[in-house]
Amino acid sequence: EDQVTQSPEALRLQEGESSSLNCSYTVSGLRGLFWYRQDPGKGPEFLFTLYSAGEEKEKERLKATLTKKESFLHITAPKPEDSATYLCAVQPLRGSQGNLIFGKGTKLSVKP
Amino acid sequence: ETGVTQSPTHLIKTRGQQVTLRCSSQSGHNTVSWYQQALGQGPQFIFQYYREEENGRGNFPPRFSGLQFPNYSSELNVNALELDDSALYLCASSLDGGGYTFGSGTRLTVV
């Protein structure tokens, strides 16, 4: 069964304190892995898509990496405005392309 | 370039009633997917529409149904509402199944 597990469930950081979020996945063939940011009461906001092991992508203070079993979202010197829930999703090769399988997310709080 | 817009933003319904949620896809996008997100959970795939045809469905009963129109906008219909249907309903659009852009969702409360 395809599934995604994110850890930790919640993470509290001080402003400037770098850390990483983990996304472990099991899928029978990976089309792509997605990272989204979600603010309370809002829809997910696209951050990155990764397609193959070894791939890395960066955007401002965020960097996403991918291996065959997991992905990391590294946050360097976070600011309070980075506080949000970060969602990881996999898109299996089989089935509908719209079928993104999401984890439960990591709720990040960054204190000034 | 307009994003994905959903209406209404909030809705309260009584158990057993029927509801229709609406979604306008991002300009240039021809594929729409619907997701249900319960509190504290990740979104769960309901179904996808491509060129007005359903072309994928998650583990949801037939009382969840949908439509896609020629302008690629979409509707999600839920019949015989149950208390567990209370959730944030998200619409996401893409071009040919590529990157997905989500709307802000409709918060449905069933009482």
Side-chain angles (χ1 to χ4, degrees), chain A residues 4-6 9 85-88 102-106, chain B residues 37 40-42:
Chain A
V4 175
T5 303
Q6 291 188 245
E9 290 185 8
T85 295
Y86 290 84
L87 295 167
C88 172
F102 282 84
K104 293 184 179 181
T106 293
Chain B
Q37 187 176 23
Q41 304 293 314

Side-chain angles (χ1 to χ4, degrees), chain A residues 1 5 9 13-14 20 31 45 48 57 60 65 67 70 74-75 77 81 83-84 86 91:
Chain A
E1 182 186 348
T5 303
E9 290 185 8
L13 299 174
Q14 287 297 127
S20 296
R31 190 190 303 271
E45 175 189 343
F48 304 107
K57 288 195 176 171
E60 296 179 354
T65 61
T67 72
E70 58 192 351
H74 307 278
I75 303 177
E81 53 261 42
S83 297
Y86 290 84
Q91 185 182 41

Side-chain angles (χ1 to χ4, degrees), chain A residues 28-101:
Chain A
S28 53
L30 180 70
R31 190 190 303 271
L33 184 141
F34 298 78
W35 282 98
Y36 286 88
R37 168 196 170 124
Q38 187 173 29
D39 293 303
K42 301 291 186 183
E45 175 189 343
F46 172 77
L47 294 174
F48 304 107
T49 308
L50 302 167
Y51 294 102
S52 56
E55 190 174 359
E56 298 182 352
K57 288 195 176 171
E58 283 188 73
K59 178 182 177 181
E60 296 179 354
R61 296 178 292 282
L62 300 176
K63 178 180 176 180
T65 61
L66 180 65
T67 72
K68 288 187 178 179
K69 292 185 178 181
E70 58 192 351
S71 176
F72 292 94
L73 184 66
H74 307 278
I75 303 177
T76 302
K79 298 182 178 182
E81 53 261 42
D82 294 323
S83 297
T85 295
Y86 290 84
L87 295 167
C88 172
V90 295
Q91 185 182 41
L93 272 175
R94 59 172 176 78
S96 167
Q97 288 183 313
N99 183 11
L100 301 184
I101 300 168

Side-chain angles (χ1 to χ4, degrees), chain B residues 13-25:
Chain B
K13 288 287 190 177
T14 303
R15 189 172 47 183
Q17 283 188 314
Q18 178 264 343
V19 69
T20 297
L21 310 182
R22 294 178 174 84
C23 171
S24 293
S25 59

